[in-house]
mmCIF file of all heavy atoms in Angstrom:
data_model
loop_
_atom_site.group_PDB
_atom_site.id
_atom_site.type_symbol
_atom_site.label_atom_id
_atom_site.label_comp_id
_atom_site.label_asym_id
_atom_site.label_seq_id
_atom_site.Cartn_x
_atom_site.Cartn_y
_atom_site.Cartn_z
ATOM 1 N N GLY A 284 8.347 -2.863 -4.678
ATOM 2 C CA GLY A 284 7.882 -1.965 -3.631
ATOM 3 C C GLY A 284 7.443 -2.666 -2.364
ATOM 4 O O GLY A 284 6.773 -2.055 -1.519
ATOM 5 N N LEU A 285 7.825 -3.951 -2.193
ATOM 6 C CA LEU A 285 7.384 -4.726 -1.032
ATOM 7 C C LEU A 285 8.526 -5.589 -0.521
ATOM 8 O O LEU A 285 9.252 -6.203 -1.306
ATOM 9 C CB LEU A 285 6.198 -5.621 -1.414
ATOM 10 C CG LEU A 285 5.492 -6.352 -0.270
ATOM 11 C CD1 LEU A 285 4.654 -5.371 0.556
ATOM 12 C CD2 LEU A 285 4.608 -7.477 -0.799
ATOM 13 N N SER A 286 8.693 -5.655 0.787
ATOM 14 C CA SER A 286 9.727 -6.482 1.394
ATOM 15 C C SER A 286 9.249 -7.926 1.512
ATOM 16 O O SER A 286 8.080 -8.240 1.266
ATOM 17 C CB SER A 286 10.068 -5.958 2.795
ATOM 18 O OG SER A 286 9.008 -6.264 3.702
ATOM 19 N N GLU A 287 10.143 -8.801 1.911
ATOM 20 C CA GLU A 287 9.743 -10.137 2.334
ATOM 21 C C GLU A 287 9.128 -10.036 3.732
ATOM 22 O O GLU A 287 9.136 -8.972 4.359
ATOM 23 C CB GLU A 287 10.968 -11.068 2.358
ATOM 24 C CG GLU A 287 11.613 -11.265 1.001
ATOM 25 C CD GLU A 287 10.648 -11.850 -0.029
ATOM 26 O OE1 GLU A 287 9.871 -12.758 0.343
ATOM 27 O OE2 GLU A 287 10.637 -11.377 -1.166
ATOM 28 N N LYS A 288 8.609 -11.142 4.219
ATOM 29 C CA LYS A 288 8.041 -11.152 5.572
ATOM 30 C C LYS A 288 9.118 -10.776 6.587
ATOM 31 O O LYS A 288 10.211 -11.333 6.581
ATOM 32 C CB LYS A 288 7.465 -12.527 5.898
ATOM 33 C CG LYS A 288 6.893 -12.637 7.306
ATOM 34 C CD LYS A 288 6.187 -13.960 7.547
ATOM 35 C CE LYS A 288 7.173 -15.098 7.679
ATOM 36 N NZ LYS A 288 6.501 -16.368 8.048
ATOM 37 N N LEU A 289 8.795 -9.825 7.449
ATOM 38 C CA LEU A 289 9.735 -9.361 8.470
ATOM 39 C C LEU A 289 9.128 -9.573 9.847
ATOM 40 O O LEU A 289 7.967 -9.228 10.079
ATOM 41 C CB LEU A 289 10.044 -7.873 8.275
ATOM 42 C CG LEU A 289 10.689 -7.475 6.942
ATOM 43 C CD1 LEU A 289 10.742 -5.954 6.833
ATOM 44 C CD2 LEU A 289 12.084 -8.065 6.830
ATOM 45 N N VAL A 290 9.907 -10.135 10.753
ATOM 46 C CA VAL A 290 9.454 -10.315 12.130
ATOM 47 C C VAL A 290 9.630 -8.993 12.872
ATOM 48 O O VAL A 290 10.690 -8.373 12.804
ATOM 49 C CB VAL A 290 10.237 -11.432 12.837
ATOM 50 C CG1 VAL A 290 9.804 -11.538 14.302
ATOM 51 C CG2 VAL A 290 10.014 -12.760 12.128
ATOM 52 N N SER A 291 8.587 -8.559 13.564
ATOM 53 C CA SER A 291 8.621 -7.287 14.275
ATOM 54 C C SER A 291 9.631 -7.324 15.417
ATOM 55 O O SER A 291 9.657 -8.276 16.205
ATOM 56 C CB SER A 291 7.232 -6.964 14.830
ATOM 57 O OG SER A 291 7.286 -5.874 15.721
ATOM 58 N N ARG A 292 10.441 -6.269 15.502
ATOM 59 C CA ARG A 292 11.370 -6.149 16.620
ATOM 60 C C ARG A 292 10.670 -5.579 17.847
ATOM 61 O O ARG A 292 11.185 -5.669 18.952
ATOM 62 C CB ARG A 292 12.559 -5.270 16.220
ATOM 63 C CG ARG A 292 13.389 -5.874 15.093
ATOM 64 C CD ARG A 292 14.549 -4.982 14.707
ATOM 65 N NE ARG A 292 15.526 -4.854 15.790
ATOM 66 C CZ ARG A 292 16.610 -4.102 15.726
ATOM 67 N NH1 ARG A 292 16.861 -3.385 14.634
ATOM 68 N NH2 ARG A 292 17.446 -4.023 16.743
ATOM 69 N N VAL A 293 9.528 -4.980 17.649
ATOM 70 C CA VAL A 293 8.746 -4.448 18.766
ATOM 71 C C VAL A 293 8.004 -5.568 19.469
ATOM 72 O O VAL A 293 7.964 -5.654 20.695
ATOM 73 C CB VAL A 293 7.755 -3.372 18.272
ATOM 74 C CG1 VAL A 293 6.890 -2.869 19.422
ATOM 75 C CG2 VAL A 293 8.516 -2.222 17.629
ATOM 76 N N ASN A 294 7.405 -6.467 18.674
ATOM 77 C CA ASN A 294 6.688 -7.617 19.213
ATOM 78 C C ASN A 294 7.025 -8.833 18.346
ATOM 79 O O ASN A 294 6.447 -9.002 17.269
ATOM 80 C CB ASN A 294 5.180 -7.358 19.212
ATOM 81 C CG ASN A 294 4.389 -8.507 19.818
ATOM 82 O OD1 ASN A 294 4.938 -9.573 20.108
ATOM 83 N ND2 ASN A 294 3.098 -8.302 20.001
ATOM 84 N N PRO A 295 7.962 -9.688 18.775
ATOM 85 C CA PRO A 295 8.416 -10.822 17.964
ATOM 86 C C PRO A 295 7.326 -11.830 17.617
ATOM 87 O O PRO A 295 7.560 -12.720 16.803
ATOM 88 C CB PRO A 295 9.501 -11.460 18.850
ATOM 89 C CG PRO A 295 9.939 -10.373 19.767
ATOM 90 C CD PRO A 295 8.717 -9.554 20.030
ATOM 91 N N ARG A 296 6.137 -11.698 18.217
ATOM 92 C CA ARG A 296 5.039 -12.598 17.874
ATOM 93 C C ARG A 296 4.389 -12.196 16.556
ATOM 94 O O ARG A 296 3.583 -12.934 16.005
ATOM 95 C CB ARG A 296 3.972 -12.599 18.983
ATOM 96 C CG ARG A 296 4.457 -13.137 20.318
ATOM 97 C CD ARG A 296 3.346 -13.145 21.369
ATOM 98 N NE ARG A 296 2.314 -14.117 21.039
ATOM 99 C CZ ARG A 296 1.097 -13.800 20.603
ATOM 100 N NH1 ARG A 296 0.761 -12.523 20.416
ATOM 101 N NH2 ARG A 296 0.216 -14.738 20.337
ATOM 102 N N MET A 297 4.730 -11.012 16.059
ATOM 103 C CA MET A 297 4.082 -10.467 14.872
ATOM 104 C C MET A 297 5.034 -10.394 13.690
ATOM 105 O O MET A 297 6.248 -10.284 13.859
ATOM 106 C CB MET A 297 3.546 -9.063 15.165
ATOM 107 C CG MET A 297 2.456 -9.017 16.209
ATOM 108 S SD MET A 297 2.039 -7.299 16.637
ATOM 109 C CE MET A 297 1.586 -6.658 15.023
ATOM 110 N N ALA A 298 4.451 -10.462 12.497
ATOM 111 C CA ALA A 298 5.213 -10.269 11.265
ATOM 112 C C ALA A 298 4.506 -9.225 10.413
ATOM 113 O O ALA A 298 3.306 -8.990 10.563
ATOM 114 C CB ALA A 298 5.350 -11.571 10.493
ATOM 115 N N ALA A 299 5.263 -8.604 9.508
ATOM 116 C CA ALA A 299 4.695 -7.540 8.682
ATOM 117 C C ALA A 299 5.467 -7.441 7.375
ATOM 118 O O ALA A 299 6.518 -8.067 7.205
ATOM 119 C CB ALA A 299 4.752 -6.210 9.425
ATOM 120 N N TYR A 300 4.914 -6.662 6.456
ATOM 121 C CA TYR A 300 5.601 -6.284 5.222
ATOM 122 C C TYR A 300 5.949 -4.794 5.308
ATOM 123 O O TYR A 300 5.113 -3.990 5.706
ATOM 124 C CB TYR A 300 4.710 -6.466 3.994
ATOM 125 C CG TYR A 300 4.363 -7.877 3.630
ATOM 126 C CD1 TYR A 300 3.046 -8.332 3.735
ATOM 127 C CD2 TYR A 300 5.321 -8.752 3.135
ATOM 128 C CE1 TYR A 300 2.707 -9.623 3.362
ATOM 129 C CE2 TYR A 300 4.985 -10.049 2.760
ATOM 130 C CZ TYR A 300 3.684 -10.476 2.887
ATOM 131 O OH TYR A 300 3.348 -11.751 2.521
ATOM 132 N N GLN A 301 7.160 -4.437 4.919
ATOM 133 C CA GLN A 301 7.475 -3.044 4.655
ATOM 134 C C GLN A 301 7.088 -2.759 3.201
ATOM 135 O O GLN A 301 7.170 -3.651 2.358
ATOM 136 C CB GLN A 301 8.969 -2.769 4.853
ATOM 137 C CG GLN A 301 9.442 -2.888 6.290
ATOM 138 C CD GLN A 301 9.085 -1.681 7.139
ATOM 139 O OE1 GLN A 301 8.650 -0.656 6.629
ATOM 140 N NE2 GLN A 301 9.263 -1.812 8.448
ATOM 141 N N TYR A 302 6.670 -1.540 2.913
ATOM 142 C CA TYR A 302 6.280 -1.233 1.532
ATOM 143 C C TYR A 302 6.673 0.206 1.194
ATOM 144 O O TYR A 302 6.985 1.016 2.075
ATOM 145 C CB TYR A 302 4.772 -1.438 1.328
ATOM 146 C CG TYR A 302 3.904 -0.442 2.046
ATOM 147 C CD1 TYR A 302 3.434 0.705 1.406
ATOM 148 C CD2 TYR A 302 3.557 -0.635 3.378
ATOM 149 C CE1 TYR A 302 2.644 1.629 2.074
ATOM 150 C CE2 TYR A 302 2.766 0.276 4.052
ATOM 151 C CZ TYR A 302 2.317 1.404 3.398
ATOM 152 O OH TYR A 302 1.544 2.320 4.066
ATOM 153 N N HIS A 303 6.634 0.505 -0.074
ATOM 154 C CA HIS A 303 7.009 1.823 -0.602
ATOM 155 C C HIS A 303 5.723 2.627 -0.808
ATOM 156 O O HIS A 303 4.955 2.353 -1.735
ATOM 157 C CB HIS A 303 7.739 1.647 -1.933
ATOM 158 C CG HIS A 303 8.463 2.853 -2.416
ATOM 159 N ND1 HIS A 303 7.908 4.115 -2.395
ATOM 160 C CD2 HIS A 303 9.703 3.001 -2.953
ATOM 161 C CE1 HIS A 303 8.767 4.978 -2.893
ATOM 162 N NE2 HIS A 303 9.880 4.338 -3.222
ATOM 163 N N PRO A 304 5.441 3.635 0.039
ATOM 164 C CA PRO A 304 4.175 4.379 -0.069
ATOM 165 C C PRO A 304 3.962 5.035 -1.429
ATOM 166 O O PRO A 304 2.825 5.099 -1.915
ATOM 167 C CB PRO A 304 4.287 5.426 1.039
ATOM 168 C CG PRO A 304 5.257 4.857 2.017
ATOM 169 C CD PRO A 304 6.246 4.092 1.196
ATOM 170 N N GLU A 305 5.024 5.529 -2.065
ATOM 171 C CA GLU A 305 4.854 6.218 -3.346
ATOM 172 C C GLU A 305 4.493 5.239 -4.452
ATOM 173 O O GLU A 305 3.636 5.524 -5.304
ATOM 174 C CB GLU A 305 6.126 6.996 -3.705
ATOM 175 C CG GLU A 305 6.541 8.019 -2.661
ATOM 176 C CD GLU A 305 5.416 8.974 -2.296
ATOM 177 O OE1 GLU A 305 4.705 9.443 -3.200
ATOM 178 O OE2 GLU A 305 5.236 9.235 -1.087
ATOM 179 N N LEU A 306 5.128 4.071 -4.455
ATOM 180 C CA LEU A 306 4.777 3.058 -5.451
ATOM 181 C C LEU A 306 3.381 2.503 -5.196
ATOM 182 O O LEU A 306 2.675 2.112 -6.137
ATOM 183 C CB LEU A 306 5.804 1.928 -5.445
ATOM 184 C CG LEU A 306 7.203 2.279 -5.950
ATOM 185 C CD1 LEU A 306 8.123 1.071 -5.868
ATOM 186 C CD2 LEU A 306 7.149 2.806 -7.377
ATOM 187 N N PHE A 307 2.990 2.475 -3.924
ATOM 188 C CA PHE A 307 1.658 1.971 -3.593
ATOM 189 C C PHE A 307 0.572 2.856 -4.202
ATOM 190 O O PHE A 307 -0.476 2.371 -4.619
ATOM 191 C CB PHE A 307 1.493 1.888 -2.074
ATOM 192 C CG PHE A 307 0.335 1.038 -1.621
ATOM 193 C CD1 PHE A 307 0.077 -0.198 -2.199
ATOM 194 C CD2 PHE A 307 -0.499 1.466 -0.610
ATOM 195 C CE1 PHE A 307 -0.990 -0.985 -1.786
ATOM 196 C CE2 PHE A 307 -1.571 0.699 -0.190
ATOM 197 C CZ PHE A 307 -1.820 -0.527 -0.777
ATOM 198 N N LYS A 308 0.806 4.169 -4.274
ATOM 199 C CA LYS A 308 -0.141 5.061 -4.947
ATOM 200 C C LYS A 308 -0.372 4.609 -6.383
ATOM 201 O O LYS A 308 -1.517 4.557 -6.863
ATOM 202 C CB LYS A 308 0.404 6.496 -4.960
ATOM 203 C CG LYS A 308 0.537 7.165 -3.620
ATOM 204 C CD LYS A 308 1.183 8.546 -3.787
ATOM 205 C CE LYS A 308 1.426 9.239 -2.466
ATOM 206 N NZ LYS A 308 2.115 10.535 -2.629
ATOM 207 N N CYS A 309 0.705 4.284 -7.071
ATOM 208 C CA CYS A 309 0.613 3.879 -8.478
ATOM 209 C C CYS A 309 -0.107 2.551 -8.624
ATOM 210 O O CYS A 309 -0.938 2.366 -9.521
ATOM 211 C CB CYS A 309 2.015 3.789 -9.087
ATOM 212 S SG CYS A 309 2.974 5.314 -8.959
ATOM 213 N N VAL A 310 0.223 1.612 -7.738
ATOM 214 C CA VAL A 310 -0.395 0.283 -7.777
ATOM 215 C C VAL A 310 -1.910 0.380 -7.579
ATOM 216 O O VAL A 310 -2.690 -0.285 -8.279
ATOM 217 C CB VAL A 310 0.237 -0.614 -6.688
ATOM 218 C CG1 VAL A 310 -0.642 -1.830 -6.395
ATOM 219 C CG2 VAL A 310 1.631 -1.065 -7.117
ATOM 220 N N LEU A 311 -2.331 1.205 -6.634
ATOM 221 C CA LEU A 311 -3.764 1.325 -6.336
ATOM 222 C C LEU A 311 -4.531 1.912 -7.509
ATOM 223 O O LEU A 311 -5.621 1.435 -7.854
ATOM 224 C CB LEU A 311 -3.961 2.186 -5.090
ATOM 225 C CG LEU A 311 -3.417 1.596 -3.783
ATOM 226 C CD1 LEU A 311 -3.551 2.597 -2.651
ATOM 227 C CD2 LEU A 311 -4.132 0.302 -3.436
ATOM 228 N N GLU A 312 -3.991 2.945 -8.129
ATOM 229 C CA GLU A 312 -4.641 3.531 -9.303
ATOM 230 C C GLU A 312 -4.771 2.508 -10.416
ATOM 231 O O GLU A 312 -5.828 2.357 -11.041
ATOM 232 C CB GLU A 312 -3.839 4.729 -9.803
ATOM 233 C CG GLU A 312 -3.912 5.942 -8.914
ATOM 234 C CD GLU A 312 -3.062 7.084 -9.438
ATOM 235 O OE1 GLU A 312 -2.363 6.914 -10.458
ATOM 236 O OE2 GLU A 312 -3.100 8.146 -8.821
ATOM 237 N N GLU A 313 -3.671 1.814 -10.672
ATOM 238 C CA GLU A 313 -3.657 0.821 -11.743
ATOM 239 C C GLU A 313 -4.708 -0.255 -11.502
ATOM 240 O O GLU A 313 -5.475 -0.619 -12.404
ATOM 241 C CB GLU A 313 -2.256 0.192 -11.800
ATOM 242 C CG GLU A 313 -2.084 -0.931 -12.790
ATOM 243 C CD GLU A 313 -0.714 -1.568 -12.644
ATOM 244 O OE1 GLU A 313 -0.565 -2.475 -11.787
ATOM 245 O OE2 GLU A 313 0.217 -1.159 -13.354
ATOM 246 N N ALA A 314 -4.789 -0.761 -10.271
ATOM 247 C CA ALA A 314 -5.729 -1.832 -9.952
ATOM 248 C C ALA A 314 -7.176 -1.357 -10.069
ATOM 249 O O ALA A 314 -8.040 -2.073 -10.604
ATOM 250 C CB ALA A 314 -5.454 -2.363 -8.546
ATOM 251 N N ALA A 315 -7.460 -0.156 -9.585
ATOM 252 C CA ALA A 315 -8.832 0.354 -9.638
ATOM 253 C C ALA A 315 -9.277 0.605 -11.068
ATOM 254 O O ALA A 315 -10.397 0.229 -11.460
ATOM 255 C CB ALA A 315 -8.927 1.647 -8.822
ATOM 256 N N ILE A 316 -8.413 1.209 -11.865
ATOM 257 C CA ILE A 316 -8.764 1.521 -13.256
ATOM 258 C C ILE A 316 -8.935 0.244 -14.069
ATOM 259 O O ILE A 316 -9.879 0.113 -14.860
ATOM 260 C CB ILE A 316 -7.696 2.434 -13.879
ATOM 261 C CG1 ILE A 316 -7.753 3.812 -13.213
ATOM 262 C CG2 ILE A 316 -7.891 2.566 -15.384
ATOM 263 C CD1 ILE A 316 -6.596 4.718 -13.548
ATOM 264 N N GLN A 317 -8.045 -0.722 -13.871
ATOM 265 C CA GLN A 317 -8.150 -1.985 -14.602
ATOM 266 C C GLN A 317 -9.420 -2.748 -14.238
ATOM 267 O O GLN A 317 -9.980 -3.461 -15.061
ATOM 268 C CB GLN A 317 -6.916 -2.845 -14.361
ATOM 269 C CG GLN A 317 -5.675 -2.341 -15.069
ATOM 270 C CD GLN A 317 -4.471 -3.233 -14.852
ATOM 271 O OE1 GLN A 317 -4.542 -4.265 -14.171
ATOM 272 N NE2 GLN A 317 -3.335 -2.839 -15.425
ATOM 273 N N ALA A 318 -9.873 -2.580 -12.987
ATOM 274 C CA ALA A 318 -11.123 -3.243 -12.577
ATOM 275 C C ALA A 318 -12.343 -2.571 -13.193
ATOM 276 O O ALA A 318 -13.431 -3.155 -13.218
ATOM 277 C CB ALA A 318 -11.239 -3.234 -11.052
ATOM 278 N N GLY A 319 -12.167 -1.320 -13.676
ATOM 279 C CA GLY A 319 -13.276 -0.615 -14.311
ATOM 280 C C GLY A 319 -13.850 0.521 -13.498
ATOM 281 O O GLY A 319 -14.829 1.158 -13.921
ATOM 282 N N ALA A 320 -13.261 0.814 -12.337
ATOM 283 C CA ALA A 320 -13.765 1.912 -11.511
ATOM 284 C C ALA A 320 -13.341 3.252 -12.103
ATOM 285 O O ALA A 320 -12.253 3.381 -12.673
ATOM 286 C CB ALA A 320 -13.247 1.778 -10.087
ATOM 287 N N GLU A 321 -14.196 4.254 -11.969
ATOM 288 C CA GLU A 321 -13.850 5.625 -12.335
ATOM 289 C C GLU A 321 -13.346 6.337 -11.084
ATOM 290 O O GLU A 321 -13.819 6.077 -9.970
ATOM 291 C CB GLU A 321 -15.068 6.348 -12.899
ATOM 292 C CG GLU A 321 -15.587 5.760 -14.199
ATOM 293 C CD GLU A 321 -16.804 6.503 -14.722
ATOM 294 O OE1 GLU A 321 -16.817 7.755 -14.630
ATOM 295 O OE2 GLU A 321 -17.742 5.844 -15.201
ATOM 296 N N LEU A 322 -12.378 7.230 -11.265
ATOM 297 C CA LEU A 322 -11.785 7.961 -10.144
ATOM 298 C C LEU A 322 -12.084 9.452 -10.255
ATOM 299 O O LEU A 322 -12.105 10.008 -11.354
ATOM 300 C CB LEU A 322 -10.265 7.759 -10.124
ATOM 301 C CG LEU A 322 -9.750 6.316 -10.104
ATOM 302 C CD1 LEU A 322 -8.223 6.294 -10.145
ATOM 303 C CD2 LEU A 322 -10.266 5.570 -8.886
ATOM 304 N N LEU A 323 -12.288 10.092 -9.119
ATOM 305 C CA LEU A 323 -12.453 11.543 -9.074
ATOM 306 C C LEU A 323 -11.672 12.060 -7.872
ATOM 307 O O LEU A 323 -12.052 11.844 -6.718
ATOM 308 C CB LEU A 323 -13.926 11.926 -8.955
ATOM 309 C CG LEU A 323 -14.220 13.431 -9.002
ATOM 310 C CD1 LEU A 323 -13.784 14.030 -10.344
ATOM 311 C CD2 LEU A 323 -15.693 13.710 -8.756
ATOM 312 N N PHE A 324 -10.541 12.744 -8.155
ATOM 313 C CA PHE A 324 -9.649 13.238 -7.116
ATOM 314 C C PHE A 324 -9.971 14.686 -6.736
ATOM 315 O O PHE A 324 -10.751 15.367 -7.384
ATOM 316 C CB PHE A 324 -8.199 13.160 -7.583
ATOM 317 C CG PHE A 324 -7.646 11.750 -7.658
ATOM 318 C CD1 PHE A 324 -6.606 11.454 -8.519
ATOM 319 C CD2 PHE A 324 -8.153 10.743 -6.870
ATOM 320 C CE1 PHE A 324 -6.080 10.171 -8.596
ATOM 321 C CE2 PHE A 324 -7.637 9.449 -6.918
ATOM 322 C CZ PHE A 324 -6.597 9.171 -7.795
ATOM 323 N N HIS A 325 -9.321 15.144 -5.679
ATOM 324 C CA HIS A 325 -9.438 16.529 -5.205
ATOM 325 C C HIS A 325 -10.903 16.924 -5.027
ATOM 326 O O HIS A 325 -11.306 18.039 -5.379
ATOM 327 C CB HIS A 325 -8.741 17.486 -6.186
ATOM 328 C CG HIS A 325 -7.275 17.232 -6.326
ATOM 329 N ND1 HIS A 325 -6.375 17.419 -5.303
ATOM 330 C CD2 HIS A 325 -6.544 16.780 -7.381
ATOM 331 C CE1 HIS A 325 -5.156 17.115 -5.719
ATOM 332 N NE2 HIS A 325 -5.227 16.716 -6.973
ATOM 333 N N THR A 326 -11.672 16.017 -4.461
ATOM 334 C CA THR A 326 -13.114 16.234 -4.327
ATOM 335 C C THR A 326 -13.564 15.863 -2.926
ATOM 336 O O THR A 326 -13.247 14.779 -2.428
ATOM 337 C CB THR A 326 -13.886 15.401 -5.368
ATOM 338 O OG1 THR A 326 -13.482 15.817 -6.688
ATOM 339 C CG2 THR A 326 -15.377 15.582 -5.221
ATOM 340 N N LEU A 327 -14.300 16.767 -2.292
ATOM 341 C CA LEU A 327 -14.764 16.568 -0.929
ATOM 342 C C LEU A 327 -16.288 16.491 -0.905
ATOM 343 O O LEU A 327 -16.967 17.357 -1.457
ATOM 344 C CB LEU A 327 -14.291 17.730 -0.050
ATOM 345 C CG LEU A 327 -14.543 17.619 1.452
ATOM 346 C CD1 LEU A 327 -13.705 16.503 2.054
ATOM 347 C CD2 LEU A 327 -14.231 18.951 2.132
ATOM 348 N N VAL A 328 -16.815 15.448 -0.286
ATOM 349 C CA VAL A 328 -18.267 15.338 -0.115
ATOM 350 C C VAL A 328 -18.701 16.283 0.994
ATOM 351 O O VAL A 328 -18.149 16.259 2.101
ATOM 352 C CB VAL A 328 -18.669 13.891 0.228
ATOM 353 C CG1 VAL A 328 -20.142 13.820 0.633
ATOM 354 C CG2 VAL A 328 -18.416 12.982 -0.964
#
């Protein structure tokens, strides 16, 4: 879900990673749960 380093065509002084937003959702959940955090979705303070 991640590209190699890409040089920006907008500003060649910069580099970035392209990524897959949908896979990133899965990665974030996995990392938070494995660290021991509890999650509560669909909830507004």
